[in-house]
Amino acid sequence: MTIRAVVWGENIHERTNEVVAALYPEGMHTTIAKALNADKAISASTATLEQPEHGLPADRLAETDVLVWWGHKDHGAVADEIVERVARRVWAPCTLKWREAGERERLWVTSPSHPIAEGVGEYFELENEEMYGEQFAVPEPLETVFISWFQGGEVFRSGLTYRRGAGNVFYFRPGHETYPTYHDANVHKVLRNAVKWAHNPQGTKSAILEAPNVPVEKALEPIVERGGKLHASGEAGFR
Amino acid sequence: MTIRAVVWGENIHERTNEVVAALYPEGMHTTIAKALNADKAISASTATLEQPEHGLPADRLAETDVLVWWGHKDHGAVADEIVERVARRVWAPCTLKWREAGERERLWVTSPSHPIAEGVGEYFELENEEMYGEQFAVPEPLETVFISWFQGGEVFRSGLTYRRGAGNVFYFRPGHETYPTYHDANVHKVLRNAVKWAHNPQGTKSAILEAPNVPVEKALEPIVERGGKLHASGEAGFR
Amino acid sequence: MTIRAVVWGENIHERTNEVVAALYPEGMHTTIAKALNADKAISASTATLEQPEHGLPADRLAETDVLVWWGHKDHGAVADEIVERVARRVWAPCTLKWREAGERERLWVTSPSHPIAEGVGEYFELENEEMYGEQFAVPEPLETVFISWFQGGEVFRSGLTYRRGAGNVFYFRPGHETYPTYHDANVHKVLRNAVKWAHNPQGTKSAILEAPNVPVEKALEPIVERGGKLHASGEAGFR
Amino acid sequence: MTIRAVVWGENIHERTNEVVAALYPEGMHTTIAKALNADKAISASTATLEQPEHGLPADRLAETDVLVWWGHKDHGAVADEIVERVARRVWAPCTLKWREAGERERLWVTSPSHPIAEGVGEYFELENEEMYGEQFAVPEPLETVFISWFQGGEVFRSGLTYRRGAGNVFYFRPGHETYPTYHDANVHKVLRNAVKWAHNPQGTKSAILEAPNVPVEKALEPIVERGGKLHASGEAGFR
């Protein structure tokens, strides 16, 4: 079965910068699409920012197996609606199942040496809980700390850690407004452990969200500037 | 050093639902904050949706070490500006360094058996490239496939895989408009490999982005409904 | 291209236990191999413990694309020589490159909020070091903390974390006997950070390396025993 | 609470090589231990290969919170008994729980787009199975594909992927000799999927398990040899 690929390109510099236009007269997206089509298993076409709906109408996206994305100069020009459409296409599976029946949940510790599981024992029970069932469409975590067993037959990854930038992120499932979960001593223990684990004592770095242009003369190893340029020396770059 | 935690709560059901109000007369956020304050290493306060700036003005967020987030009924009511503010606080480190000097980049294969590295050899070189340098503030990847050596002294994780929902995501660094990167045979090879790897032959699941309510009578194991409820049987739930 | 699979089975219970022999008269390995051969892309054969070299002579292993392993009763009966042979087959790639030339190494921090990188800055340099170059055949780490740039053109993942059982493991590359690496202040800082990170304050669990048999009458949910059995109630099981 | 660290060193080159002895007259292990002791939270002592039991008798290891390991020249000289002792200390938690009661197991797919889960649906059931319960002391996997729900109240990560060297490894839990698991159509489907996923079409690399010494004159970037040396040019190095 042929893989239907769409190579998306901004197609800005190819039309506005002479050096780039000379290198890629058909646009980088076309060059890339041709490289893909050299493999018979792939059928690649192109789409660009300036086309209606950026070349990604819903029916075309639905028939796209792989989307190759090239952006640099103007990420902000991509319409929110199209961003949302692409994201939904990628995230397509069901997110989770749920049931509000006050059933028993048993949270098993799967990473017993993890600081968040400290003092919790092998498992703990919540006698009345809302069921959340797999498939839970989240990124593969750094570590799985708790997995829940539900009386009605489902399982759920109930304690997951992630690191994102300067942030340590912990997802904790338990808690439904109509049940006394947040009065439970084990839940309290986990929350305290989680706060301590999430705390990053190094705090915020000064260069917040910057992407600094390192001048050639300040390179750590001596180099000589070569080739065409988009940016003047010391320029901030695209933001 | 005390960990400064802010427990954020929607505080909607506590004010509008009798069962919830009876269980949590001060709000779940207050119950959770008290549980945290039982540990002397933590100093927890609260913030809620209905406060100005949702209780998270910039100066308060800057002095917050750990943010505990509880949301359920109305995620959409959180102002985009505050979402952005929190995200920036989490992502605080520098994103990457760059330099446009046409220097040599050598991409080393760090996961030689990965399908994306098939046929590439131990490394390949791009004689003229833009430098991208660590620290690169991305989530820890599923696998690191390429790491770049730059002539000026930097390194960069140039090939990273992620799985997100139904999507297999590959980040590939090389390519600057003013250099002939996309005419390079090794780059072509990697792009073809990447498209084949990213292709998910299972396609889109039908239950796209739904979170189905599983009725009690259809539970996989027999259970009896107990406790208070927010939702009527068969209701779709909060979207 | 057909995938050549070998289904390896202990083939002990099939010959010594009546219940098992009745269920799998040809052995579980044969049942599994037949299931695999139902797919034309796979060509599966079998091997068993009691055969010479456990059915895995070197030339056969060399022509095996996928090895399916089933063991339960007597892992210890597999000869060390064959274990080593299989492990080498799996680990086949080159482990690392090296060169002893006193060249410059620059260690970049790739996970700046990680406790092991605390206080180190964006990078640090070792003016004289042995080169270690990718491909480094280690398991994908929990997190990559340092990546090294070498003067001679190589890169190396120089700081890697793993969690194994109760142990937090940190691999740190720098250090060659003939260079003063262990007199370096940054190396000292990393070593102290690493010891603190690796420390597991929860200590050793009491049930060291046991795999307890949970009696039916002590199951957390009421169940009734069904089906054939290998073990008497309360038996320790295979060790 | 002070962290009790033991710095283990081979202590061979410090006694046999003049360059190394001049750099580290007390041995590298002592230099490292002193660097650790500069932090009051750490109390570091040393142990070396030539001591009885390599300086790691059982009672000392039991009182060690963090072990720092330095080896280079003679890994093979470490007695198997001590290797085993250290490994047991690291792996200290319980490995898994089990019960042979023919209870119901329901395997939920947690990574629905993974090739190994193709065609399996949201879950499948095995009416009679042996229970395996968390905590399951395995390394954090690359991806969790199946999680089992057991009738008696336990959960288990039943499908886990790892990449090790050239090998793609899949662990699959189901199957007890006295139950007809390997006659089950879903199990057959998973096994076929797993074989296809595990297959590495790139095969074995030629440089099997070698760690090549890259001569200075063949460095990818021009460098000049500096500093002391352990190895002659072109030597194979320690094996």
Side-chain angles (χ1 to χ4, degrees), chain A residues 134-136 155 157, chain D residues 107-114 117-118 120-124 144-147:
Chain A
E134 296 278 350
Q135 307 158 355
F136 185 31
V155 295
R157 288 169 291 168
Chain D
L107 289 103
W108 288 92
V109 174
T110 51
S111 185
S113 297
H114 199 286
E118 192 271 313
V120 171
E122 297 190 337
Y123 65 88
F124 67 95
T144 301
V145 183
F146 297 108
I147 295 178

Side-chain angles (χ1 to χ4, degrees), chain A residues 47-69:
Chain A
T48 55
L49 181 66
E50 81 275 14
Q51 296 175 330
E53 301 185 61
H54 308 328
L56 296 172
D59 55 349
R60 187 180 189 194
L61 199 59
E63 293 176 352
T64 301
D65 293 319
V66 177
L67 181 62
V68 179
W69 192 270

Side-chain angles (χ1 to χ4, degrees), chain C:
Chain C
M1 192 183 64
T2 308
I3 300 172
R4 300 163 298 180
V6 171
V7 181
W8 190 92
E10 265 186 0
N11 197 30
I12 296 176
H13 284 132
E14 294 95 325
R15 297 182 296 163
T16 61
N17 180 298
E18 286 186 15
V19 178
V20 181
L23 261 175
Y24 299 105
E26 299 176 298
M28 287 179 284
H29 49 283
T30 306
T31 302
I32 291 171
K34 284 183 176 175
L36 299 182
N37 282 322
D39 190 315
K40 288 179 182 173
I42 305 171
S43 169
S45 59
T46 65
T48 55
L49 180 66
E50 81 275 14
Q51 296 175 331
E53 301 185 60
H54 309 326
L56 296 172
D59 56 349
R60 187 179 189 196
L61 199 60
E63 293 176 353
T64 300
D65 293 318
V66 178
L67 180 62
V68 179
W69 192 271
W70 197 102
H72 191 185
K73 176 144 197 349
D74 202 359
H75 298 295
V78 183
D80 286 354
E81 185 195 341
I82 308 301
V83 171
E84 178 76 8
R85 183 184 294 168
V86 170
R88 290 181 75 90
R89 180 72 177 81
V90 169
W91 285 93
C94 170
T95 52
L96 60 78
K97 295 177 185 60
W98 61 280
R99 178 174 55 230
E100 190 185 17
E103 68 201 274
R104 187 177 311 124
E105 174 178 11
R106 184 177 294 111
L107 290 103
W108 287 92
V109 174
T110 51
S111 184
S113 297
H114 199 288
I116 293 178
E118 192 271 313
V120 172
E122 298 191 336
Y123 66 87
F124 68 95
E125 296 178 350
L126 297 168
E127 190 55 32
N128 293 279
E129 258 297 359
E130 185 179 6
M131 182 278 287
Y132 269 29
E134 297 277 350
Q135 307 160 352
F136 185 31
V138 288
E140 193 70 21
L142 199 64
E143 295 183 282
T144 301
V145 182
F146 297 108
I147 295 179
S148 288
W149 178 99
F150 285 97
Q151 199 178 352
E154 287 86 359
V155 296
F156 199 75
R157 287 170 290 169
S158 289
L160 301 172
T161 67
Y162 297 91
R163 222 183 284 268
R164 293 290 183 267
N168 300 318
V169 181
F170 179 59
Y171 168 82
F172 190 47
R173 196 215 71 78
H176 184 60
E177 295 91 323
T178 63
Y179 309 133
T181 303
Y182 296 116
H183 295 301
D184 182 86
N186 280 305
V187 170
H188 288 184
K189 179 71 175 155
V190 170
L191 289 171
R192 287 192 294 265
N193 289 346
V195 163
K196 291 184 190 174
W197 172 83
H199 178 224
N200 173 3
Q202 301 183 54
T204 304
K205 309 294 190 210
S206 55
I208 295 180
L209 284 174
E210 287 183 6
N213 181 350
V214 182
V216 174
E217 63 274 16
K218 291 195 178 169
L220 296 163
E221 304 288 334
I223 54 172
V224 175
E225 193 171 300
R226 303 183 293 186
K229 295 197 72 171
L230 281 178
H231 305 278
S233 179
E235 195 188 295
F238 308 121
R239 301 274 152 168

